[in-house]
Amino acid sequence: MATIDAIDTWIVDVPTIRPHVLSMTSISRQSMVIVRVRCADGVSGLGEGTTIGGLAYGDESPESIKLTIDTYFAPLLVGADSAMPAALMTRLRQNVVGNHFAKNAVETALFDCVARRAGVPLSDLLGGRQHDRLPVLWTLASGDTAKDIAEAEAMIAARRHNVFKLKIGKRPLADDVAHAGAIKRALGAGASVRVDVNQAWDEQTARKGARMLGDAGIDLIEQPLPRADRAGMARLAASAPIAIMADEALRGTHDAFDLAAIRAGDAFSIKAAQAGGLIAAAKVAAIAEAAHIGLYGGTMLEGSVGTAAAAHLCSTFATLAWGTELFGPLLQTEEILATPLEYTDFALTVPKGPGLGIELDEDKVRHFRRDAPQRTVVMLNQAAR
């Protein structure tokens, strides 16, 4: 029996290449919880827990993810058989309420262990991949129209991205529409432009915004209403001239079922972290497919570990009508993998090696770990200012 010997967790803070502006916060670094499950047979697996802007976005933060895993998960898992991830996740769900991001990180590490031990890609454990490459969009989130246009044009020229998402909702509606419309006009018919409101609008604003954005050539609006307003999302999806996507409203299979039942969206953003794990996210995707709702591979701006896991999951879906946004590692100034993920020709290549198919650059991880002596001193000085 390959028992679990230890579970290690580290918060790793990596700067971003530019500020990433959302309707509720702005981030200039991404804080990731890297999880390593170590087993008695020498096999170890990796997982990641990452949020966008900490508690400004949702009810988990890097600090709470690490605390939950160290204090509550580890005692339930150490000494157990690592070859039984489903049973171990059931044990966690029976003993710990919520904490989906933490559960996803640990489940990913457990599956990584099993797949590495078997010598197969993680996607094989999820039913087998149907795609080796996944289309990936880029988020334009500076808020400056000229900068965003220049950034998008550079991405197209480099054949890295030709689909773009704009973060809007902080400014008046007319300003946001003017911003989105200007970018769409500049990029032309060869590029798709979408917007993400991150729950910032009320229903009246969303109805007006959908009409105006549709006239501007925008293809989709992501989560325009608060996550609890399911009825409003259904009314909006029924009347809007462009597609409406559910994101923050999807926190697992129960949400997915309820939203699908009233058609509260034309697309579902599939995020393993929000769903509570890879298996839960696969079930959310199955509910969407059964309801003829388009799939989209969403991101919490995960680094390379979480992005690799999401890529394995998304590769198993028959269709991804709206593509993916698995660009998180590209937003960071430094790579923490020994061999970076491959982004070429507007797509991400799904790793083919055993497990996640990745290895950490241990020196980089040590450099960016929050508990590294030099990092701790810097952060304490910043907090004191």
Side-chain angles (χ1 to χ4, degrees), residues 87-170:
L88 295 180
M89 294 309 297
T90 296
R91 180 183 299 179
L92 291 184
R93 286 191 291 271
Q94 289 172 341
N95 287 273
V96 180
V97 174
N99 290 278
H100 282 190
F101 288 70
K103 287 174 180 173
N104 173 62
V106 168
E107 185 192 62
T108 298
L110 291 171
F111 272 115
D112 192 27
C113 287
V114 175
R116 286 176 186 265
R117 193 174 292 121
V120 300
L122 190 149
S123 53
D124 282 14
L125 304 186
L126 302 174
R129 70 182 62 187
Q130 302 193 54
H131 315 280
D132 287 323
R133 289 168 56 77
L134 304 170
V136 178
L137 64 67
W138 180 251
T139 294
L140 302 169
S142 76
D144 183 289
T145 303
K147 286 182 179 179
D148 283 351
I149 290 172
E151 189 174 316
E153 290 175 338
M155 296 294 181
I156 294 171
R159 295 188 61 79
R160 212 177 77 174
H161 307 280
N162 59 3
V163 179
F164 301 96
K165 185 170 81 171
L166 313 178
K167 292 290 187 178
I168 65 172
K170 291 187 74 170

Side-chain angles (χ1 to χ4, degrees), residues 26-37:
S26 177
I27 65 172
S28 57
R29 73 179 186 200
Q30 186 54 303
S31 299
M32 305 165 285
V33 181
I34 304 298
V35 178
R36 176 178 278 147
V37 171

